Amino acid sequence: MKTRPTFQPLMHLKALPLACMLLGLTQVWGQVVGPTKGPSELSLPAATPGVILRNSTHLEEKISEVERKQSPLFISGQRIDARPDLDMVIEGNALLRKQGLTVKAQRIEYDQSQDTLKATGGVKINREGNTFQGSSLILQADAFKGKFSETDYTLLKGGGHGKASEIEFIDQQRAIIRNATYTTCARLPGPSWLPEWVLKAASLQVNEENDTIQAKDLQLRFKDVPILAAPSLTFPLNSTRQSGLLSPLVGIDTVSGIEISSPYYWNIAPNRDATLTSTFMSKRGLAFDSEFRYLEPDSQGQTRFNLMPNDSLRQQSRWGLSAQHIGGIETGNSTLGRLGLNVNLNRVSDDNYWRDFPRSGLTLTQRLLPASGSLYWAQGDFSIMTQVLKFQTLQDISSPITPPYDRSPQIVARYNTWDLNGFDVGATADTTRFEADYSRIPGGTSSILRNGQRSFAAAQVSRPWLKPWGFVIPKIQLHVTRYQLDSALANGQLEANRLLPTFSLDTGLVYERDASILGRGLRQTLEPRAFFVRTPYKDQSQLPSYDSGATDFNLTTVYSENPYVGQDRIADNNLVTLGVNSRFFDSNTGAELARFGFAQRYRFSDQLVRLPGELPVSSGYSDILLGAGVRWANRWTFDSSLQFDAQTHRTTRTTLSTRFNPTPYRVFNTAYRLARDQSEQIDVGWQWPLRDFSFAKHDEASGNQQTLVPGQGLGADRWYSVGRMNFSLKDRKMVDTLLGFEYDSGCWLGRVVYERLQSTTSTSRSRILFQLEFVGLARVGSSPLKTLRDNIPRYQYLREDLAPTTRFTTYD
């Protein structure tokens, strides 16, 4: 008669599984050691000679097929009946463990020859982080193929969980969950718990190879109210892109009315995608939008095309096109250099497009739309570029714009080299055809049209002496310009020439000392600077102004040779700029904590060269420029700039800005901007919880403190206020307004945002944005996220994918 041995549970022999692995056993079988009155002990086979152990610095996330098949098998239970190399039956707290798979049940039958197991009674499976619980299981262990009845499941990726009548495991990457529920809401104790949102489906086809779930015959319920039903829906298990229909978008606009959009996302390739959207506007009609993006090894770009076949408000067809491409080709030969092509195309159907579609894209909402194409070649220090640039000007009868000159074409050659026997040398040659059309300007213009050709060459040589204690940089420049015009100048000439030299000398010293403020060790610098520039006078009042404009007067441009950009005006300068900067650095980290600056120009003679309509610049002292920036602590920042007129004792321009960012999801920005006799505005923006929280949430019921996960908000059941307001003190009215609230329930996010944009000085438009986002599933409603991020500096999305999931999160 065959003896039925009994075994002591392995839970009392904690070192046994580790010992089995160290000995390289493929299976562990019990042997009876004499008659016993109590539970028997296990006897291990002798160690295999010649086994070499290797250290591992970390646990492997991925398990190879070889490791899976060759991994040892560990078993435990209150009673085990076994036939070596054939089968076994484990009863009472039965446990079967292999690499990446753990099965627990009251009874496990394992057929070693077929690698199949049957489990009944409180069956629990943990396979690489995915957990399943049910009544009965039939499974091929290595192939992971089988069926699981009456199952509760939790998926590691995405954190979704639910119930099912049956789960069919197709293989290691795929499964079919039948009569399923799915949610990411955390389960609370008690039999009456219902998730705040749940997806019910006839089947869920889980594919972990491409990280997708396809739901069939589904119904989405929120607060136990059905809000969506569809025959099929595919959503990702993680943040990877997937092709398919996106959730419909809903919005309310004061001009276009109710807007309902249905977008489709097409994941063409890892480096290419497209989004196709059809939108119904109750006051306008049907519109179609498309966006295509690509990223190649040597190029990148995007194209966006909007089409409204018939706008009911304007009684015409509307369209907008915006396309950008940046690319280059390495010839593979250092002599041939690099070739490149850049394209920037922006065009719309009519002058009112920017007013009627203010959110169709940043470029298309401007009134000057550039379209350019350029070819360039570069090799070493030398480069050549040719381009064509044409503008579309969107005119408004209440505020007409003088169109800029088109460039058709422009050819530029540049040469720059540094440290050539101690000298820096640069040269630029440019010839450009400028053309403009003033016939479409409402009411005409007083500007004189001067189409023509401009060619110029500029060369410069400087000799920098750079030392730790300071620098001296003398520089000589020579500008040669020739104009060939289609219409005569005031003096009757069709041609004009200009030759101007410029000499500048830039010098500075750097003093350093150790300091201490509020007990903090610092390194302080004192950096005085003197800049002299001399350019002789040349009458340029007859010359056209194709591309010249005044630069912004600040602590950077005050040390430049020419106060104008472009090549049509080179100011006569005989001046010196004196300034001083002082910076404070943390002596331990080297981080800049504060900076202060001062600068002022002194002109020895009047500036006679000016742009048309520009006020004269007299000799003597200029306005005083002051600047300060403080970042003493990471949570506080302060920046300011001030332009002060010492003669009138009034500020000409002022900018003050602060930012308070003590923790994630808490930011408060303020700004004050003054341009004397032009504008005076206050700007406030924020994202802030409506209650005061710390980084850790205290669970009063358990008395434990739970550390919040970065990128996952400040915890469940939280309200946030978001907004940005721009108020004009001069006009005593609000310019732009953005106000809203965000709610984080833990498994869904809600946002309501009101936005008001000032289109012109007398017109504005408003809209309400609504978003309901089911965490781990999809978004429904017109997404305000881009609006919030564009308008609120340091705004943080309440759900960020900061780290990938790991199977050791639920390791059993």
Side-chain angles (χ1 to χ4, degrees):
M1 183 176 179
K2 183 173 67 174
T3 304
R4 173 173 291 181
T6 59
F7 294 80
Q8 182 173 351
L10 290 184
M11 64 183 71
H12 300 301
L13 300 175
K14 296 182 179 180
L16 181 57
L18 179 59
C20 293
M21 287 188 287
L22 295 179
L23 293 173
L25 300 180
T26 58
Q27 296 184 3
V28 179
W29 299 99
Q31 297 180 355
V32 177
V33 185
T36 60
K37 295 182 179 180
S40 301
E41 296 180 352
L42 291 179
S43 175
L44 300 178
T48 304
V51 174
I52 301 176
L53 304 180
R54 294 182 299 174
N55 291 327
S56 177
T57 58
H58 62 280
L59 296 173
E60 294 292 342
E61 182 67 33
K62 296 295 184 180
I63 303 174
S64 67
E65 286 301 314
V66 175
E67 291 175 326
R68 197 184 305 276
K69 291 180 179 181
Q70 294 183 356
S71 64
L73 177 69
F74 303 96
I75 60 174
S76 71
Q78 295 178 350
R79 183 184 182 90
I80 299 178
D81 293 338
R83 292 189 299 170
D85 299 327
L86 292 177
D87 55 26
M88 70 176 67
V89 178
I90 313 171
E91 294 180 305
N93 295 327
L95 169 68
L96 185 147
R97 186 195 301 272
K98 295 189 68 174
Q99 182 76 288
L101 174 64
T102 300
V103 181
K104 296 179 179 180
Q106 287 302 312
R107 178 184 174 89
I108 298 177
E109 300 176 14
Y110 181 66
D111 187 339
Q112 182 188 7
S113 61
Q114 300 296 325
D115 190 37
T116 60
L117 63 87
K118 297 180 181 179
T120 56
V123 185
K124 298 181 180 180
I125 297 179
N126 187 322
R127 185 184 182 279
E128 298 185 10
N130 295 328
T131 60
F132 308 89
Q133 301 182 40
S135 58
S136 63
L137 169 70
I138 300 176
L139 184 69
Q140 287 183 317
D142 285 340
F144 203 70
K145 182 178 182 181
K147 293 185 177 181
F148 205 168
S149 301
E150 302 299 331
T151 309
D152 292 351
Y153 67 92
T154 301
L155 303 180
L156 176 64
K157 294 181 179 178
H161 61 93
K163 297 178 178 293
S165 63
E166 181 185 76
I167 297 181
E168 180 180 355
F169 301 109
I170 306 300
D171 54 31
Q172 298 173 5
Q173 300 293 332
R174 296 176 299 162
I176 300 176
I177 307 175
R178 295 187 172 90
N179 299 319
T181 63
Y182 180 88
T183 185
T184 58
C185 297
R187 184 175 181 85
L188 300 178
S192 62
W193 174 81
L194 288 176
E196 296 190 69
W197 71 265
V198 63
L199 179 72
K200 296 183 178 181
S203 67
L204 297 176
Q205 298 181 7
V206 182
N207 190 329
E208 293 195 74
E209 186 175 5
N210 56 19
D211 292 326
T212 61
I213 297 180
Q214 184 179 14
K216 296 291 187 68
D217 297 329
L218 63 101
Q219 183 188 72
L220 179 62
R221 303 180 70 89
F222 178 62
K223 299 290 186 179
D224 206 27
V225 176
I227 62 172
L228 176 67
S232 178
L233 174 68
T234 301
F235 56 93
L237 278 170
N238 52 22
S239 58
T240 56
R241 307 196 313 259
Q242 302 291 339
S243 297
L245 287 170
L246 303 178
S247 299
L249 308 178
V250 180
I252 301 176
D253 189 277
T254 55
V255 176
S256 300
I258 298 176
E259 300 178 356
I260 303 176
S261 301
S262 178
Y264 177 82
Y265 180 78
W266 183 15
N267 184 29
I268 304 173
N271 62 329
R272 300 184 191 94
D273 65 4
T275 304
L276 310 174
T277 306
S278 59
T279 303
F280 172 76
M281 305 179 190
S282 61
K283 295 183 180 180
R284 292 189 178 276
L286 194 62
F288 303 95
D289 301 335
S290 63
E291 183 182 29
F292 171 67
R293 303 183 302 176
Y294 59 92
L295 178 61
E296 305 293 343
D298 293 321
S299 63
Q300 61 180 335
Q302 63 179 5
T303 299
R304 182 168 184 174
F305 180 67
N306 307 327
L307 174 64
M308 179 176 287
N310 184 23
D311 184 353
S312 300
L313 290 181
R314 296 288 183 181
Q315 298 298 319
Q316 67 179 99
S317 175
R318 317 291 296 279
W319 58 267
L321 174 64
S322 178
Q324 292 79 36
H325 170 85
I326 301 174
I329 301 175
E330 294 289 351
T331 61
N333 189 317
S334 59
T335 304
L336 297 179
R338 177 180 174 85
L339 300 175
L341 170 66
N342 297 336
V343 176
N344 180 26
L345 177 62
N346 301 279
R347 286 293 183 266
V348 296
S349 56
D350 54 87
D351 287 340
N352 293 311
Y353 196 91
W354 66 277
R355 191 199 313 270
D356 293 342
F357 305 100
R359 305 170 187 92
S360 59
L362 178 62
T363 304
L364 295 183
T365 58
Q366 299 172 353
R367 295 181 60 190
L368 289 177
L369 303 181
S372 65
S374 62
L375 288 169
Y376 70 88
W377 169 83
Q379 195 277 325
D381 299 329
F382 190 74
S383 65
I384 297 177
M385 185 271 292
T386 179
Q387 77 162 343
V388 174
L389 171 62
K390 292 182 176 293
F391 290 93
Q392 179 185 10
T393 306
L394 307 184
Q395 295 291 358
D396 185 352
I397 192 170
S398 61
S399 57
I401 297 178
T402 301
Y405 284 89
D406 298 333
R407 305 183 186 193
S408 53
Q410 178 184 20
I411 302 174
V412 184
R414 291 187 176 90
Y415 174 81
N416 291 285
T417 185
W418 288 266
D419 198 17
L420 181 64
N421 296 323
F423 290 87
D424 294 343
V425 180
T428 301
D430 180 302
T431 180
T432 305
R433 171 69 184 179
F434 291 96
E435 294 181 345
D437 183 7
Y438 290 171
S439 62
R440 294 187 65 251
I441 301 178
T445 178
S446 59
S447 301
I448 300 176
L449 183 64
R450 299 288 188 191
N451 292 342
Q453 183 88 14
R454 185 194 69 192
S455 302
F456 78 88
Q460 66 178 34
V461 178
S462 63
R463 176 56 171 94
W465 282 279
L466 306 177
K467 299 296 181 180
W469 47 264
F471 62 90
V472 177
I473 307 177
K475 181 192 294 184
I476 298 176
Q477 301 179 64
L478 182 64
H479 306 265
V480 181
T481 312
R482 177 175 176 80
Y483 292 87
Q484 296 172 294
L485 307 175
D486 295 351
S487 57
L489 298 171
N491 58 10
Q493 299 293 323
L494 292 174
E495 296 181 352
N497 300 314
R498 182 187 63 191
L499 174 64
L500 281 173
T502 296
F503 170 77
S504 65
L505 178 64
D506 195 2
T507 63
L509 297 173
V510 179
Y511 298 96
E512 293 184 355
R513 70 164 187 169
D514 292 328
S516 178
I517 299 178
L518 300 177
R520 189 170 187 174
L522 303 173
R523 175 63 61 87
Q524 182 188 4
T525 68
L526 186 65
E527 305 169 40
R529 184 177 179 182
F531 178 77
F532 173 78
V533 59
R534 178 74 173 96
T535 302
Y537 170 72
K538 177 78 172 180
D539 184 13
Q540 303 166 50
S541 60
Q542 300 291 324
L543 301 180
S545 179
Y546 290 135
D547 60 358
S548 286
T551 60
D552 182 57
F553 187 54
N554 55 50
L555 285 172
T556 299
T557 60
V558 73
Y559 297 103
S560 59
E561 289 88 354
N562 191 17
Y564 302 114
V565 295
Q567 300 297 326
D568 297 309
R569 295 293 184 272
I570 299 177
D572 54 314
N573 281 328
N574 185 14
L575 60 84
V576 62
T577 300
L578 299 177
V580 62
N581 291 328
S582 182
R583 296 183 290 171
F584 293 83
F585 299 91
D586 189 289
S587 58
N588 295 321
T589 65
E592 183 179 283
L593 304 179
R595 54 178 170 77
F596 303 92
F598 162 88
Q600 188 178 26
R601 279 176 176 170
Y602 180 81
R603 290 187 175 275
F604 298 100
S605 59
D606 296 345
Q607 177 186 318
L608 303 179
V609 176
R610 301 193 301 271
L611 287 168
E614 188 179 22
L615 296 176
V617 182
S618 303
S619 61
Y621 291 102
S622 71
D623 289 350
I624 299 173
L625 294 176
L626 299 170
V630 179
R631 289 166 178 80
W632 195 261
N634 291 332
R635 61 178 59 188
W636 278 103
T637 61
F638 170 80
D639 287 287
S640 65
S641 62
L642 179 72
Q643 182 177 337
F644 182 76
D645 189 338
Q647 309 233 340
T648 62
H649 300 286
R650 301 175 66 192
T651 56
T652 306
R653 291 193 312 169
T654 303
T655 300
L656 302 173
S657 63
T658 62
R659 174 178 297 148
F660 181 54
N661 190 190
T663 68
Y665 310 102
R666 289 182 174 90
V667 62
F668 192 83
N669 307 289
T670 62
Y672 170 78
R673 301 179 182 90
L674 167 68
R676 181 69 62 183
D677 300 327
Q678 297 181 23
S679 66
E680 185 177 10
Q681 295 182 343
I682 294 178
D683 194 297
V684 180
W686 70 90
Q687 179 189 26
W688 204 269
L690 294 181
R691 289 185 293 168
D692 189 22
F693 308 114
S694 60
F695 283 112
K697 184 177 71 174
H698 187 73
D699 188 347
E700 296 180 357
S702 62
N704 296 326
Q705 205 173 47
Q706 176 189 1
T707 301
L708 299 176
V709 179
Q712 303 298 308
L714 296 176
D717 193 22
R718 297 291 192 268
W719 281 93
Y720 301 81
S721 173
V722 293
R724 182 172 182 177
M725 295 187 295
N726 186 279
F727 183 78
S728 173
L729 295 174
K730 178 183 178 182
D731 301 326
R732 298 184 179 276
K733 68 177 183 179
M734 201 70 70
V735 180
D736 292 330
T737 304
L738 181 72
L739 294 172
F741 297 95
E742 295 181 290
Y743 176 71
D744 183 355
S745 77
C747 63
W748 63 271
L749 307 174
R751 296 182 180 90
V752 178
V753 176
Y754 168 76
E755 182 184 26
R756 179 185 179 275
L757 297 178
Q758 191 77 28
S759 302
T760 64
T761 55
S762 59
T763 61
S764 64
R765 63 187 301 172
S766 303
R767 67 172 177 171
I768 297 177
L769 302 173
F770 169 75
Q771 182 183 59
L772 181 62
E773 177 180 347
F774 300 113
V775 176
L777 185 62
R779 295 173 187 162
V780 179
S782 183
S783 173
L785 282 178
K786 186 177 186 303
T787 301
L788 295 175
R789 283 177 168 168
D790 291 345
N791 287 277
I792 304 175
R794 295 287 183 94
Y795 168 83
Q796 284 184 274
Y797 176 37
L798 295 179
R799 290 294 183 276
E800 298 284 359
D801 296 322
L802 297 180
T805 56
T806 170
R807 66 185 179 96
F808 300 107
T809 303
T810 57
Y811 186 75
D812 190 358

